[in-house]
């Protein structure tokens, strides 16, 4: 059975090497006589797995010592509640709303305090990133929140907003480890791993230590208090063991590829192939402002719904799967995360070119 080119936005493609290694270790992990799925999270084996995963992530991202790395559950969506519960000491947070995920985080935070929308790109279906150089940041804002790469719309912040000294919190789910991040610029940088890092079920949250306190909103569940998780090194309760194990393998794979600077170069090369074609094509067009284009999620349309559907159908039959765009944008979306090989993008472009000729 052959593998397809999987352009899913998430859960998404993983490195084949990683899947093969996991398969080889499935029945007997390093002489333990059991699978990682079957072992205690308090065992020596798992202790090594989680510690090594954390260290490899620290190496990859150059995470400073005054940041904690937490491996959590509940998806990125649970952080939409956990973050205000832990951080809203003054009861105010500012949101830059550049897509559905930022909007959901903004709406969730309204339950816990005053969430203020200080900028938005909803007027043009989130097809651009607003100018964030001089926003009306609230004097007593506990933090400024962004979704750095907008998975659905295909835009990305190329420069971080000027938060005027306030703590920046960023959801990087769909650009996690796709390029270097300067961790020091964030109070919290977090993401669900199922887009670019591993299997669904793990959220990695990298949090500056001064933001991890007992001073949380009344009623904050024990499990959602960052301090609970930080004090126990993500082992307060049973963590998503198997997912963390796979993430650890992906970290090692990324190191082998040369780290995040090398990944950035590779991802730029891949994205350029597709964007250059979209710019020259008479049939397909990209849907977002060029200067804000994501390296990871590339939405495009033909301008004709029936033709879009025909394209998706024929592409699927040819082994290019999960290209249908999000229902709010329509058309197509190619997610070209770290593990999508450049051949996948080259062949997709070749297929699009041929489709354009045949349907001109
Ligand atoms: C997918 C996604 C989410 C939601 O993730 P869950 O783990 O399903 O909660 C949040 N933010 C971004 C940017 C995403 O791409």
């Amino acid at each position: 059975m052959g593998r397809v080119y999987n352009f899913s936005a998430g859960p998404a493609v993983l490195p084949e090497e990683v899947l093969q290694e996991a398969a080889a270790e499935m029945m007997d992990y390093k002489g333990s006589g059991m699978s990682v799925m079957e072992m205690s999270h308090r065992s020596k084996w798992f202790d090594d797995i989680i510690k090594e995963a954390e260290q490899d992530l620290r190496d990859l991202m150059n995470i400073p010592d005054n940041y904690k790395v937490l491996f959590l559950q509940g998806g990125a969506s649970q952080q939409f509640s956990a973050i205000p519960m832990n951080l809203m000491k003054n009861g105010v947070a500012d949101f830059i709303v550049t897509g559905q995920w930022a909007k959901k985080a903004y709406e969730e935070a309204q339950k816990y305090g005053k969430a203020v929308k200080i900028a938005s790109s909803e007027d043009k279906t989130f097809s651009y990133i607003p100018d964030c150089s001089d926003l009306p940041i609230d004097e007593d804002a506990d933090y400024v929140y962004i979704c750095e790469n907008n998975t659905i719309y295909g835009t990305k912040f190329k420069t971080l907003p000027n938060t005027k000294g306030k703590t920046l919190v960023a959801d990087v789910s769909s650009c996690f480890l796709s390029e270097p991040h300067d961790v020091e610029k964030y109070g919290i940088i977090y993401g669900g791993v199922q887009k670019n890092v591993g299997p669904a079920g793990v959220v990695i949250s990298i949090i500056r230590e001064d933001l991890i306190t007992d001073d949380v909103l009344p009623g904050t569940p024990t499990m959602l208090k960052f301090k609970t998780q930080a004090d126990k090194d993500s082992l307060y309760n049973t963590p998503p063991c198997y997912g963390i194990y796979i993430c650890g393998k992906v970290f090692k794979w990324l190191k082998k590829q040369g780290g995040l600077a090398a990944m950035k170069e590779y991802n730029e090369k891949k994205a350029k192939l597709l964007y250059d074609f979209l710019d020259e094509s008479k049939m397909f067009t990209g849907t977002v402002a060029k200067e804000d284009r994501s390296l990871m999620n590339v939405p495009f349309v033909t301008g004709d719904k029936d033709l879009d559907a025909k394209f998706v159908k024929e592409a699927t039959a040819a082994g290019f799967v999960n290209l249908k765009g999000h229902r709010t944008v329509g058309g197509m979306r190619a997610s070209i995360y770290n593990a999508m090989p450049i051949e996948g993008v080259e062949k997709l472009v070749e297929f699009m070119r041929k489709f354009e000729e045949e349907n001109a």
Side-chain angles (χ1 to χ4, degrees), residues 31-333:
S32 65
M34 59 184 112
S35 162
V36 172
M37 269 184 252
E38 302 171 296
M39 61 178 52
S40 167
H41 58 296
R42 311 278 176 206
S43 66
K44 175 78 181 97
W45 292 291
F46 188 72
D47 192 56
D48 287 346
I49 288 171
I50 193 167
K51 288 214 172 93
E52 227 172 285
E54 174 172 345
Q55 191 54 54
D56 285 333
L57 182 64
R58 284 186 177 276
D59 296 345
L60 279 169
M61 291 179 76
N62 255 314
I63 300 174
D65 288 343
N66 63 324
Y67 283 74
K68 285 270 191 220
V69 174
L70 303 182
F71 295 95
L72 306 171
Q73 307 190 47
S77 301
Q78 190 157 85
Q79 296 303 301
F80 299 170
S81 331
I83 291 164
M85 286 177 150
N86 282 273
L87 260 54
M88 267 190 171
K89 324 257 185 215
N90 298 326
V92 184
D94 288 345
F95 286 77
I96 300 172
V97 178
T98 53
Q100 297 287 354
W101 296 119
K103 195 175 176 181
K104 282 195 171 153
Y106 161 65
E107 285 168 355
E108 186 66 15
Q110 288 170 8
K111 293 188 175 169
Y112 305 104
K114 192 176 134 202
V116 187
K117 194 197 293 180
I118 53 167
S120 167
S121 54
E122 195 163 14
D123 59 335
K124 292 184 185 158
T125 331
F126 299 120
S127 60
Y128 68 102
I129 299 291
D131 177 4
C132 297
S133 57
D134 185 18
L135 293 173
I137 309 281
D138 278 82
E139 197 98 325
D140 48 359
D142 292 300
Y143 60 95
V144 176
Y145 183 99
I146 63 167
C147 176
E148 195 162 321
N149 184 80
N150 297 282
T151 325
I152 295 173
Y153 301 95
T155 59
K156 165 151 200 297
F157 282 82
K158 298 292 163 78
T159 46
L160 293 175
N162 174 5
T163 65
K164 302 183 179 174
K166 302 296 182 192
T167 295
L168 178 65
V169 173
D171 172 357
V172 296
S173 296
S174 50
C175 61
F176 219 166
L177 308 179
S178 65
E179 56 182 273
H181 303 269
D182 191 352
V183 175
E184 244 155 351
K185 294 198 168 132
Y186 306 81
I188 301 180
I189 174 168
Y190 81 96
V193 304
Q194 75 272 27
K195 308 296 162 69
N196 204 26
V197 185
V202 185
V203 184
I204 298 175
S205 196
I206 302 161
I207 311 177
R208 212 177 55 223
E209 273 171 359
D210 62 283
L211 300 172
I212 302 173
T213 67
D214 283 314
D215 178 20
V216 298
L217 296 190
T220 299
T222 308
M223 281 285 292
L224 295 193
K225 190 168 141 183
F226 293 145
K227 194 157 186 302
T228 306
Q229 305 287 355
D231 284 351
K232 299 286 186 199
D233 296 320
S234 307
L235 290 165
Y236 169 74
N237 71 330
T238 320
C241 300
Y242 198 79
I244 293 168
Y245 157 75
I246 300 290
C247 288
K249 289 202 177 295
V250 172
F251 301 154
K252 289 203 187 298
W253 178 80
L254 286 167
K255 278 181 149 180
K256 224 163 78 185
Q257 308 306 304
L260 301 191
M263 277 328 290
K264 179 175 194 219
E265 219 174 284
Y266 189 58
N267 288 326
E268 280 173 345
K269 216 163 118 186
K270 282 191 290 181
K272 188 174 186 305
L273 280 174
L274 192 45
Y275 284 126
D276 281 354
F277 174 72
L278 291 175
D279 290 343
E280 71 171 58
S281 166
K282 293 197 170 53
M283 175 180 281
F284 298 102
T285 45
T287 57
V288 307
K290 281 188 190 178
E291 63 276 18
D292 301 322
R293 282 171 164 175
S294 165
L295 291 181
M296 297 284 102
N297 311 99
V298 183
F300 54 94
V301 294
T302 64
D304 173 341
K305 279 199 173 83
D306 294 336
L307 199 56
D308 286 349
K310 184 168 191 253
F311 175 78
V312 170
K313 193 167 165 231
E314 290 182 16
T316 306
F320 305 100
V321 310
N322 290 321
L323 280 166
K324 195 171 185 309
H326 191 269
R327 64 189 185 284
T328 58
V329 184
M332 283 70 70
R333 171 178 49 172

